[in-house]
Amino acid sequence: MDPVPLQDTICAIATPIGEAGIGLIKLSGPEALSIAKKIFRPKDPQKSLKSHTLHYGWIKDPVTGETLDEVLLCFMAAPRTYTCEDVVEINCHSGYAVLNRILGLAMSTGARPAQPGEFTRRAFLNGRIDLSQAEAVIEIIRSRSEQGILLANRHLRGELRQLVEKWHETLLQAQTRLEAFIDFSEDLEEEAEPEALANKSLLEEVLEGVARPLAAVLSKYEEGRVLREGITLVLVGKPNVGKSSMLNALLGKDRAIVTAAPGTTRDVIEDTFILGGVQVRVLDTAGIRSQPDEIESYGIEMTIRSIAEADVVLWLIDNSRPLTAEDEKVYESIGESRRIVLLNKSDLPPAFPIECVRQRFPGNGPFLGLSAKNPSHIERLKTYLAESFIMRPIENCKSEIVPNLRQKECLEKAMNAIVRAEELMSSNAYSELVSLELESARRQLAALLGRGNDAELLDRIFLQFCVGK
Ligand SMILES: Nc1nc2c(ncn2[C@@H]2O[C@H](COP(=O)(O)OP(=O)(O)OP(=O)(O)O)[C@@H](O)[C@H]2O)c(=O)[nH]1
Ligand SMILES: [Mg+2]
């Protein structure tokens, strides 16, 4: 993409506003250096503001001459900067008033406030990064788990971009050859056999060079989603079986109220913990009862909705008391959702053997006897969860490129176009039709990289950023 010269200079506070050791104000654009010169007094005024170097000095109001702060200022000349434009970064003290005063000076001397994500948008518009790399920036900022950061970093380094560019090139070459053949064969009607042969080798190249590796990247999406977004567990069961005790035990803190009275939890209570470097979201729910009062009915409705959101349902049964019709009701509510049955209160004498539950409530998932009050049982449960839902995705995505939802959708559309091209070729359809499908696959790959000039898409992506990034 050709660099687009952007005329105005933008400024923003890049650190959270509040009392802290350091605050950072950034400027980017053609006026960045001249603005810096107006508001910054270096310790040695004779020295020029050398690029990519920190300079010590003071921020002064050019109108009143008032000194606002002692700072370190860095000027970075284009193009070796985050935005590919001239950039100035001012490291000042962090406080609400001082940050706003300095920002105000930058604005009164020629800069305008940046939009959310505008610095990264400029890096994209100036061709330094593609859209998958811009998305990686936001993924890193948002990521709550180690694994999410590892995945995003691969994108940030441009690994997806390089692959997609290579596939795009292969498709372009195939298309060019196909079209050359179309022109050529118009002159030589009788040469049908060589055309078929050439098309076959061309198709093989597209399948080997594009379709196969593309399918491999697509296949990582679901496991990558687990690493990026984590997993959601929902604790369900009839009242008083120990759901809230289990929530607290998993979190290692008293998050929900636990009492001996059934019907304590009436709302969905949510929190997270990290397991194997991945975020686990746990929802504690209201106990499912046969004859609920009005508030409980709402709670139960929310429980049913939570089950629909869950990757895994943890169904608690009190092993120290006989099974009841309420356990039956919970079983029905879980339906086909993936589940783990936890027979809780194993520290008390059992009222029935595990075998009995297995027979009465057949379905997917294991039956584990444990006590929410026993820390080593909780550790064992966590190990089981990590092994069943987290370790495999980590292993399978190790050193792999994993697409996000938007990228996955572009890749799927590209794949469908290639499959259609293949079908057309096998049925000896006109080469022009095959060429159209290859073109469509290429357009999807270009869209993945953000080369489709889709302003709405760019807004959607960059407006998720904070101001100052
Ligand atoms: N002995 C024993 N008691 C437990 C165990 N787990 C929970 N309890 C007790 O069971 C009672 C109910 O626990 P909660 O965690 O509030 O149960 P709940 O399923 O959240 O109940 P509701 O919110 O009313 O639906 C409390 O008195 C807990 O101390 C356990 O493993 N062993
Ligand atoms: Mg509870």
Side-chain angles (χ1 to χ4, degrees):
M1 179 183 295
D2 291 332
V4 183
L6 298 162
Q7 297 307 321
D8 48 358
T9 297
I10 52 172
C11 64
I13 300 168
T15 43
I17 300 186
E19 288 178 25
I22 299 288
L24 183 72
I25 290 174
K26 290 204 313 195
L27 291 133
S28 178
E31 298 299 318
L33 181 60
S34 72
I35 293 171
K37 283 180 175 163
K38 285 180 201 151
I39 65 174
F40 177 63
R41 254 330 97 71
K43 181 159 179 265
D44 182 354
Q46 306 309 321
K47 274 197 185 160
S48 70
L49 285 181
K50 201 171 150 222
S51 182
H52 291 81
T53 310
L54 274 181
H55 302 274
Y56 171 71
W58 295 269
I59 295 293
K60 288 197 168 189
D61 186 326
V63 178
T64 63
E66 179 192 5
T67 300
L68 294 184
D69 199 8
E70 182 188 29
V71 302
L72 284 173
L73 180 143
C74 183
F75 163 61
M76 288 168 274
R80 279 178 43 233
T81 68
Y82 187 74
T83 53
C84 288
E85 302 172 337
D86 278 358
V87 167
V88 167
E89 291 186 357
I90 304 169
N91 293 276
C92 57
H93 292 106
S94 180
Y96 183 78
V98 70
L99 285 168
N100 276 313
R101 279 290 303 274
I102 300 175
L103 189 71
L105 282 189
M107 290 190 318
S108 64
T109 49
R112 72 154 170 84
Q115 303 272 328
E118 199 170 359
F119 290 90
T120 311
R121 191 172 191 147
R122 288 186 169 203
F124 166 75
L125 291 174
N126 290 325
R128 190 179 71 79
I129 57 173
D130 77 315
L131 209 51
S132 72
Q133 289 167 297
E135 285 171 312
V137 173
I138 190 142
E139 277 172 24
I140 289 181
I141 294 174
R142 291 238 174 116
S143 187
R144 298 202 180 168
S145 74
E146 222 174 291
Q147 296 302 332
I149 295 178
L150 295 179
L151 291 188
N153 259 308
R154 248 172 252 143
H155 286 205
L156 191 60
R157 286 198 297 269
E159 291 183 20
L160 180 61
R161 170 191 188 161
Q162 283 158 22
L163 259 187
V164 172
E165 279 174 345
K166 200 166 104 199
W167 297 337
H168 190 274
E169 183 56 33
T170 306
L171 288 172
L172 183 63
Q173 279 176 16
Q175 208 189 338
T176 315
R177 275 179 32 213
L178 195 67
E179 277 168 17
F181 218 98
I182 296 167
D183 299 339
F184 183 63
S185 59
E186 273 170 8
D187 305 332
L188 293 166
E189 281 297 329
E190 67 279 12
E191 297 265 337
E193 188 58 21
E195 175 176 353
L197 272 180
N199 281 359
K200 193 157 172 279
S201 87
L202 195 133
L203 182 65
E204 268 160 22
E205 257 167 57
V206 169
L207 292 180
E208 269 307 299
V210 185
R212 200 125 76 102
L214 194 151
V217 169
L218 265 180
S219 73
K220 298 291 173 219
Y221 169 73
E222 196 47 44
E223 290 181 317
R225 195 184 62 81
V226 167
L227 301 189
R228 267 204 193 93
E229 296 170 17
I231 56 172
T232 299
L233 306 178
V234 177
L235 294 159
V236 301
K238 70 180 176 189
N240 216 38
V241 291
K243 300 178 294 297
S244 301
S245 306
M246 187 59 75
L247 172 80
N248 293 344
L250 287 168
L251 297 174
K253 66 180 180 194
D254 286 340
R255 174 71 176 77
I257 299 171
V258 168
T259 73
T264 307
T265 310
R266 298 189 156 212
D267 228 332
V268 176
I269 300 177
E270 174 176 342
D271 212 327
T272 59
F273 66 96
I274 300 288
L275 188 61
V278 167
Q279 176 168 280
V280 181
R281 181 169 159 245
V282 211
L283 311 181
D284 175 24
T285 61
I288 296 182
R289 265 191 210 266
S290 306
Q291 263 144 19
D293 64 26
E294 197 187 348
I295 301 180
E296 279 173 331
S297 303
Y298 283 127
I300 294 171
E301 238 171 68
M302 287 167 81
T303 304
I304 309 244
R305 259 183 272 144
S306 304
I307 291 174
E309 270 187 59
D311 290 301
V312 188
V313 174
L314 299 183
W315 174 18
L316 275 85
I317 292 177
D318 183 345
N319 202 178
S320 71
R321 286 164 188 263
L323 293 169
T324 63
E326 290 177 325
D327 291 302
E328 202 79 51
K329 193 144 190 255
V330 181
Y331 176 64
E332 284 162 19
S333 310
I334 296 171
E336 297 297 305
S337 296
R338 199 164 174 184
R339 65 171 206 200
I340 298 175
V341 186
L342 301 176
L343 293 131
N344 192 30
K345 310 197 186 181
S346 69
D347 53 313
L348 301 175
F352 52 86
I354 287 192
E355 224 16 72
C356 162
V357 206
R358 217 193 288 274
Q359 279 168 12
R360 191 152 160 192
F361 304 123
N364 66 56
F367 294 77
L368 312 173
L370 48 52
S371 162
K373 296 194 169 183
N374 185 328
S376 69
H377 290 182
I378 300 303
E379 274 321 299
R380 280 222 297 278
L381 174 62
K382 284 189 172 179
T383 306
Y384 179 81
L385 290 170
E387 283 171 358
S388 315
F389 304 101
I390 295 171
M391 291 318 179
R392 212 194 46 219
I394 291 181
E395 209 38 53
N396 290 351
C397 293
K398 212 190 254 174
S399 64
E400 295 286 344
I401 293 167
V402 181
N404 66 21
L405 179 61
R406 185 191 70 83
Q407 295 158 353
K408 178 194 98 152
E409 284 171 355
C410 293
L411 292 175
E412 272 172 352
K413 287 181 191 152
M415 190 62 161
N416 291 340
I418 293 174
V419 169
R420 283 195 301 272
E422 185 192 358
E423 287 165 359
L424 286 168
M425 274 200 180
S426 344
S427 61
N428 288 325
Y430 285 117
S431 298
E432 284 89 340
L433 296 178
V434 178
S435 176
L436 277 178
E437 293 299 347
L438 295 182
E439 169 85 39
S440 148
R442 265 194 323 116
R443 257 206 313 277
Q444 290 304 329
L445 296 181
L448 188 155
L449 299 174
R451 292 180 185 161
N453 280 335
D454 182 344
E456 216 173 284
L457 169 71
L458 298 186
D459 281 347
R460 205 166 63 226
I461 290 176
F462 288 103
L463 292 176
Q464 296 172 49
F465 281 69
C466 36
V467 173
K469 189 66 214 174

